[in-house]
Amino acid sequence: MLDPIIKVENLTKNYGDFEAVKGLSFEVYPGEIFGLLGPHGAGKSTTLEIIETLREKTSGQVTVNGIDIEKDPAAVKKIIGVQLQTAGFYPGLNLIELLDLFAGLYNEEIDPMAILDSVNLRDKAKAKFKELSGGQKQRFSIATSLVNQPKVIFLDEPTTGLDPQARRSLWELIRSIQQRGTTIVLTTNYMDEAEYLCDRIAIMEKGK
């Protein structure tokens, strides 16, 4: 049996008296697509942001690739890719310039066209982010999460607001990323999305 690449044990997150995450435990194994499935407000995004080291936990333990997120968050950030629900990109830069900017932040040498090829956006290389359709914006947002060649990618409700054709296109992209050996953790409130994409799921409701 493979060792888990992500281990979450008794995770809690409180905001004052409100318990957003209530003693959550699960494991994610290398190379799988693992889904957190549940309604809005279930605590899915909060859980993801804690694992990504973007939000502090109240208690519990989380490790990514054997690294404790509290003890060495910088090491965790180097091996993960994050696609957020709301992405803010510089509107005046084209896609190649934006990828080069992200590469600079990670101190990585990249081939922007190869990354755009991987998300079927080569023909939009010189377009600005604001000129893309909804599905293209989501694909580019995923492209930026691939810049540092991460072991794990986190996708937070990646197909929200997309039309059926764009959703299906994004599903195939996510599958193709998994086939390269990348572990994917995603949140969704769509049953069909979880069924199509995920190897395993954890169902969340009211922080549990």
Side-chain angles (χ1 to χ4, degrees):
M1 189 72 176
L2 291 170
D3 290 329
I5 194 165
I6 296 172
K7 198 167 187 177
V8 177
E9 298 176 279
N10 298 315
L11 178 65
T12 67
K13 177 62 180 177
N14 301 334
Y15 298 98
D17 294 334
F18 175 67
E19 289 183 293
V21 180
K22 305 171 182 176
L24 204 63
S25 296
F26 62 87
E27 294 177 344
V28 179
Y29 292 94
E32 74 174 343
I33 299 179
F34 184 89
L36 288 173
L37 173 67
H40 290 300
K44 307 185 302 294
S45 295
T46 299
T47 300
L48 232 60
E49 287 169 2
I50 291 169
I51 302 170
E52 295 161 356
T53 76
L54 297 175
R55 196 178 291 275
E56 289 188 1
K57 58 185 170 62
T58 301
S59 64
Q61 187 171 28
V62 179
T63 58
V64 179
N65 204 38
I67 305 163
D68 188 307
I69 63 163
E70 203 163 45
K71 291 177 182 170
D72 199 350
V76 172
K77 286 188 175 85
K78 285 179 182 174
I79 59 168
I80 66 171
V82 178
Q83 181 250 348
L84 303 171
Q85 279 176 304
T86 52
F89 296 104
Y90 289 107
L93 300 182
N94 66 36
L95 301 195
I96 289 177
E97 291 166 338
L98 285 168
L99 285 172
D100 282 335
L101 177 66
F102 273 80
L105 296 174
Y106 281 112
N107 202 23
E108 290 274 350
E109 292 283 332
I110 63 160
D111 178 353
M113 294 308 293
I115 293 176
L116 291 173
D117 276 339
S118 73
V119 295
N120 300 322
L121 286 175
R122 171 179 276 268
D123 59 330
K124 296 292 181 181
K126 295 293 177 68
K128 294 179 172 58
F129 182 76
K130 64 185 178 183
E131 297 165 354
L132 304 180
S133 70
Q136 289 167 344
K137 284 178 178 175
Q138 289 291 67
R139 293 215 304 274
F140 182 72
S141 188
I142 290 174
T144 62
S145 76
L146 300 172
V147 163
N148 61 326
Q149 300 178 334
K151 292 187 176 213
V152 186
I153 289 179
F154 296 92
L155 306 175
D156 196 1
E157 298 186 2
T159 65
T160 296
L162 299 185
D163 64 61
Q165 186 176 357
R167 284 183 74 210
R168 179 63 68 162
S169 173
L170 206 67
W171 287 358
E172 298 308 328
L173 170 60
I174 292 167
R175 278 268 181 88
S176 73
I177 293 169
Q178 180 198 26
Q179 286 163 7
R180 295 176 221 158
T182 308
T183 305
I184 298 168
V185 181
L186 63 86
T187 67
T188 184
N189 47 21
Y190 298 125
M191 294 283 285
D192 59 336
E193 184 159 280
E195 183 173 16
Y196 184 80
L197 284 176
C198 298
D199 299 299
R200 293 187 307 128
I201 60 167
I203 297 173
M204 282 193 76
E205 187 173 14
K206 296 178 181 175
K208 293 185 177 179

